[in-house]
Amino acid sequence: FIKYSFVGGEKEGIKVCIGYDLEGNEVILNILDGHILIGGMTGAGKSNLLNVIITNIMLTYTENEVFMLGCDYTESDIYYFRRYKHFKRMATNKEGFLDIVRILEDKMKERAEIFDKTNCRNAINYNKKHDKKMSYIVVIVDELVQLATDSICKSELHRIMGKCRKYGIYFILGGQDATKETIGKCKMNCPQVIGLKTFDETDSNTLMGKNQNLQDIKIDGRCK
């Protein structure tokens, strides 16, 4: 795991194309802009969007530039990426997720010492100043509600999300449950929210705020 700490190259950001707007322009998502929450009802296209993001990262960046950790309790979608070299861990239960948290804690401690020695504020700042780049880490959680039902895992998720961006660690959360109980504090830590079709207006308002009307989306895969 440690050998993936530094890389060469000068790519900026972690940018992926997730589709096109109504004018036909590419919509580019930069993961370094902050944690991402993707929500929508069953069949709305959440898993497909996660697949697009993962595949784009793997095709654009080496596993030394960006590597991923996954959490998929249902072993249904991102679980099938576990054999690809970009994925270093895939959690399918509570113990596996808490193991990922421990890995991230160790990585943050290691990088904190590096930042102190090099007088850098964060991973982005470090990579701008040094030829050898610090790897970015993307943690992808599918079916967030499965993880959030366990109070310990939910608490650890909120805690780690609140401090890991500085160290080049970013979360992408996907889920069908848009209730406050599931996404409440997660949403507070996610400056980027992608909303697909929701079951009703209440879910739409919880996910993206009022007047987004995600429940009125007519075509699966469309999002705001």
Side-chain angles (χ1 to χ4, degrees):
F1 191 84
I2 299 300
K3 69 179 181 178
Y4 296 102
S5 293
F6 298 95
V7 299
E10 297 183 359
K11 293 179 182 176
E12 185 175 349
I14 308 175
K15 298 178 181 179
V16 298
C17 176
I18 60 172
Y20 300 87
D21 62 21
L22 294 178
E23 284 72 43
N25 302 308
E26 289 185 345
V27 177
I28 305 298
L29 183 69
N30 187 357
I31 295 171
L32 299 193
D33 287 340
H35 304 311
I36 302 166
L37 174 63
I38 302 172
M41 63 183 291
T42 302
K46 179 263 304 174
S47 295
N48 284 339
L49 182 53
L50 283 175
N51 290 342
V52 167
I53 292 172
I54 293 169
T55 303
N56 267 275
I57 291 174
M58 293 194 302
L59 290 176
T60 307
Y61 304 92
T62 70
E63 73 273 20
N64 287 332
E65 292 170 319
V66 181
F67 66 85
M68 290 175 275
L69 308 172
C71 181
D72 186 355
Y73 280 20
T74 60
E75 301 183 18
S76 58
D77 287 298
I78 68 168
Y79 175 75
Y80 292 101
F81 287 98
R82 70 192 186 282
R83 294 190 177 93
Y84 287 84
K85 58 187 179 181
H86 282 76
F87 274 86
K88 308 309 174 189
R89 293 291 173 90
M90 181 66 69
T92 58
N93 52 40
K94 176 180 179 179
E95 291 73 22
F97 174 73
L98 295 179
D99 185 48
I100 284 178
V101 171
R102 286 189 289 270
I103 289 172
L104 296 179
E105 289 282 7
D106 290 342
K107 186 59 64 176
M108 288 189 291
K109 182 178 179 180
E110 171 192 318
R111 292 184 172 189
E113 294 176 356
I114 295 172
F115 295 158
D116 184 57
K117 292 178 181 178
T118 58
N119 194 31
C120 292
R121 292 185 176 184
N122 52 54
I124 295 176
N125 179 242
Y126 179 92
N127 284 343
K128 287 180 178 179
K129 293 183 176 181
H130 295 82
D131 293 331
K132 286 188 174 181
K133 310 302 181 183
M134 184 172 286
S135 305
Y136 291 112
I137 304 171
V138 179
V139 186
I140 302 174
V141 178
D142 196 11
E143 302 303 345
L144 176 62
V145 65
Q146 300 291 329
L147 186 153
T149 54
D150 185 285
S151 60
I152 294 177
C153 290
K154 185 177 181 180
S155 176
E156 286 295 280
L157 175 65
H158 295 160
R159 184 182 65 82
I160 206 80
M161 285 183 68
K163 63 179 183 178
C164 67
R165 283 178 60 184
K166 171 181 178 178
Y167 303 99
I169 301 168
Y170 297 84
F171 277 79
I172 301 176
L173 308 176
Q176 301 170 3
D177 186 343
T179 62
K180 291 182 179 179
E181 290 74 17
T182 298
I183 69 171
K185 288 186 178 180
C186 291
K187 183 180 176 182
M188 293 174 61
N189 283 310
C190 292
Q192 303 190 84
V193 179
I194 300 174
L196 295 110
K197 184 176 182 179
T198 58
F199 180 74
D200 56 25
E201 184 179 1
T202 300
D203 284 354
S204 176
N205 291 344
T206 303
L207 185 62
M208 294 197 71
K210 294 183 178 180
N211 302 320
Q212 293 300 315
N213 299 316
L214 298 175
Q215 73 281 359
D216 295 331
I217 293 177
K218 303 300 182 184
I219 301 175
D220 293 339
R222 292 278 175 87
C223 61
K224 294 184 179 181

